[in-house]
């Protein structure tokens, strides 16, 4: 089992709900072995999530924030297609988890989402980038 953690002043902390669920599966007192490897830039992930939050708060779509993120990732072209049991083609956003998306692809996703934000919100990228400075 892999769990993505970030080091804080208070110890190691799971970085996503999925990682928290995995951590909760480890019983108290259970001894585990951890292997340390660096993963993608956590601060960049926070910036990405701030961009999604900014888009969600200022868009007219009536979706939950998580559903909105997924819909926008599909709109930006980051999805896998599959045929459902009824024969219809469906789109599912690619996972942005640290273990499944390399840093370079994530950086490109951020740029594509930034362009999508500008288009949907009717502003330029300088305006969005300036607003992101205040959200981090």
């Amino acid at each position: 089992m892999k769990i993505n953690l970030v080091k804080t002043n208070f110890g190691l902390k799971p970085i996503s709900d999925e990682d928290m669920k995995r951590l909760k599966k480890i019983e108290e007192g259970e001894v585990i072995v951890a292997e340390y490897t660096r993963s993608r830039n956590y601060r960049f992930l926070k910036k990405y999530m701030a961009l999604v939050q900014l888009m969600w708060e200022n868009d007219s779509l009536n979706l939950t924030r998580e559903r909105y993120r997924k819909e926008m990732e599909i709109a930006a072209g980051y999805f896998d297609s599959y045929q459902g049991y009824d024969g219809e083609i469906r789109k599912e956003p690619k996972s942005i988890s640290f273990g499944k998306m390399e840093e370079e692809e994530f950086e490109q996703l951020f740029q594509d989402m930034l362009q999508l934000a500008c288009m949907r919100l009717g502003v330029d990228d300088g305006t969005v980038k300036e607003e992101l400075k205040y959200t981090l």
Side-chain angles (χ1 to χ4, degrees):
M1 170 178 19
K2 286 188 176 182
I3 302 174
N4 296 297
L5 306 166
V6 62
K7 185 174 187 272
T8 69
N9 288 335
F10 301 102
L12 297 172
K13 176 182 170 187
I15 63 169
S16 71
D17 291 340
E18 184 178 314
D19 292 315
M20 178 59 82
K21 287 177 189 174
R22 290 179 181 149
L23 185 60
K24 286 182 178 181
K25 289 180 182 178
I26 301 170
E27 294 185 25
E28 189 171 329
E30 184 177 352
V31 176
I32 62 168
V33 175
E35 182 178 323
Y36 169 74
T37 58
R38 288 190 185 263
S39 61
R40 285 197 341 231
N41 184 337
Y42 177 67
R43 293 187 72 181
F44 193 63
L45 173 66
K46 287 176 60 174
K47 184 176 180 180
Y48 176 78
M49 296 310 275
L51 172 62
V52 172
Q53 182 73 24
L54 178 68
M55 292 171 69
W56 179 68
E57 289 174 351
N58 293 284
D59 203 325
S60 60
L61 291 178
N62 187 19
L63 301 170
T64 65
R65 191 186 66 75
E66 185 63 16
R67 182 75 251 160
Y68 181 85
R69 177 185 66 81
K70 290 177 180 181
E71 290 296 326
M72 292 302 105
E73 288 171 357
I74 290 170
Y78 288 82
F79 61 87
D80 293 316
S81 298
Y82 65 96
Q83 187 172 5
Y85 72 93
D86 57 1
E88 293 209 19
I89 301 298
R90 293 184 172 79
K91 296 176 182 175
E92 185 172 317
K94 291 182 180 181
S95 174
I96 62 169
S97 73
F98 284 5
K100 295 189 178 178
M101 185 178 279
E102 296 291 327
E103 186 74 22
E104 296 78 25
E105 185 179 12
F106 190 68
E107 288 174 5
Q108 186 60 54
L109 171 60
F110 180 84
Q111 291 303 318
D112 293 343
M113 289 288 278
L114 180 61
Q115 288 180 348
L116 186 60
C118 294
M119 182 184 73
R120 292 198 60 81
L121 304 178
V123 296
D124 61 45
D125 66 343
T127 302
V128 174
K129 287 177 182 177
E130 186 66 25
E131 189 65 29
L132 286 178
K133 286 182 184 178
Y134 301 111
T135 61
L136 294 176

